[in-house]
Every structure is written in C-alpha cells, then in structure tokens.
Amino acid sequence: MSAKPILWIVVPCYNEEAVLPLTAPMFLNKLEQLAEQEKISRNSRVLFVNDGSRDRTWELIREMAAKDERVLGICQSRNRGHQNAVLAGLMEAKERCDITISIDCDGQDDLNAMDEMVERYWEGFEVVYGVRSKRKTDTFFKRATAEGFYKLMNALGAEIVFNHADYRLISARVLKHFAEFEEVNIFLRGLVPLVGFPHTTVYYERAERLAGESHYPLKKMIALAFNGITSLSVKPITLITGCGIIFSFLGLAAMIWAIVEAILGETAAGWASLVCIVCMLGGLQLISIGIIGQYIGKTYLEAKRRPRYIISERTWEKPERRWLEDETEEKTPEKGE
Ligand code: UDP
Ligand code: MG
C-alpha cells in the first residue's frame, strides 16, 4: 500500500510575476525529490494563491497549471493580505492532503528545510515551524524591527515562536481543528500554537529575495504587529488597569505631601485642594477605563467563538496516520536499528 502522506505546498503570491518563473520550478523539484525519497506521495501538489495581484501573476499560475498537473492555483477576489492568502490556501488544501507546508514565493526561505520538516512529521510532529537561524541578508533596520517585533509581541501576551515567519508544516488534521477558529482578524503565527498538538522547529538560513520587491514595508509590519497583539491578547487592557493602580498610589502620596505642605502654610490658597483633585482623578479614571476594558476584552474574546477544547486522540479510534500504522518499519526514515 502506498499510503505516504500527500503534501501540498501552499504559496501566497502578490504581484510576483518577476519571481514566480524562478521559484515555481524549485517548488516542483522539491516535490519530485521528496517523492523520490519516498517521503511523500506522488500525488503531492503545489498550490499557488493569487492574492489579487495587479500584474501577470494569475496568468502565469494558470499557464503553469495547464502544463503541469502538479500545479494548482486559486485566485482571491481581491488583495486581502498575506495572512488571509495563506489561510485561503490552507483551508482549500486541508480536505485534499495529509500535510501542508506554507512558504513565501520569493525564494527567501530555504526549500531544503522541507526535507527536515517532513522527517519531523514522520516522527510524529503535527506542526513544524521553520525558524530563521540568521538574518544576515536582511538590512540592519529590517532585522532590528523584526526582532523587536517578536519580543514586543511576546511581552504583550501573544505567544509566538521567535524568528518564525510563515514557513511551516501543518498537518491536515491540525488544520481541520484550526478551521474551528472562526476569527476574522487572523495572525497565523500566533494562532497555530493555540491549536496545540506535538510541534517542533527546524532551522534554516534566510536568503535574499530572488527577484521583485518586498511587499512588507514598515507600515504593513506595524499593522501586522498591532493586529497580532490585539487579536491574541487583552494584555494591553490589563496594563492600563495596572497603570491606574500605580497612579492612584502615586496620587495618594502626592495628596499627603500637598496636605502636609498646606498645613505647614507654605502654599498659595487653593493649591493643595487642586493638587488633591488632580491626583485622585488621574488614577481613578485610568482604573475605571481599565475595568471597562476588562469587560470589553472578555466580550471580544467571547465573540471569537474559538473552540473550547480540541481532542487529539481517542482510545477507541485508529490513529489518523494510516501509513505509519501499516508501514512503520520500512517507511519511517530514521527508525534506526
Ligand atoms: N503577499 C501576499 N499578499 C500581500 C503581500 C504579500 O500574498 O498583500 C505574499 C508575497 O507574494 C510573498 C509573501 O506574501 O509570497 C511574503 O511577502 P514579501 O516577500 O513581500 O515579504 P517579506 O519577505 O519582505 O517580509
Ligand atoms: Mg519575502
């Protein structure tokens, strides 16, 4: 029985006519190579997601699909941004394959990391994050902002893997559960960890873009960071409450000081009462906003209607990975004797 996993490589493309002709053959080669090594099924595919490009990207994808049955394409009705393009591809893939690997189409992410990702999958991991080991090729500015971004995100309560972009393997099984996360503002890097299941990371070096230009200027990066934080955590609201409490204490101290000054008679008339009012109100207002915020935050999290639990195994069900069951001995690459 040839029950090797069917892999779909999901590739978002936005105005990529310059780079697609270079990278598409690389993706296909990789499929060929992995199939050759018997790590994936011959029915594996590359799925290009055209994210409302304004150049010839979609025509290119259609031409490739007509020539090669391993190439598939879907076209979004308009530009919806990278995250939504990847999501569209993954959701399209999940019913038709066993594993997906999402990767950008500009050749920056090392395709050879896929070998290791698939191997990790054979070992039992359902999610494998590609992590950049170095950022040599990025400019200092890009590197500093990007690394700052991960740190800030984590500090503000969005759990994300450091230096992991959207190059990752996800099994169809995890994707089916992921589909139950119904939120509209998606930040895949932060959401995938929430689904759970065994996960691991592989390291690769990030190269330069092969052609074309980055579509992630600082403005989009800030928007992405903001979206990531606000869609994953209500920590900023808690911070406001915290500030309120601190300011209230400071206010109290200032009030005592003002009263003492007033008693000692070293102040102008009315000064102490004014200081007291200002100090009290500042802290109180912040606390009030924080409390209201807590309720809004709860409503916000509830409104997402995320699944409350996800069951990964049941004793009375067969494991999902058929090929591991039948052919563990021959097919698991590193089943060393
Ligand atoms: N992309 C997309 N929609 C967008 C912007 C980008 O699908 O609105 C795709 C793009 O084609 C590429 C990937 O997302 O495959 C990453 O974009 P890019 O390489 O420009 O970002 P960078 O690597 O510079 O952060
Ligand atoms: Mg890129």
Side-chain angles (χ1 to χ4, degrees), residues 104 106 108 206 209 214:
D104 293 350
D106 54 12
Q108 280 190 283
R206 184 147 152 120
R209 222 174 203 286
S214 168

Side-chain angles (χ1 to χ4, degrees), residues 24 92 99 139 218 242 317 333:
E92 201 69 15
I99 39 178
T139 59
L218 185 63
E317 273 175 8

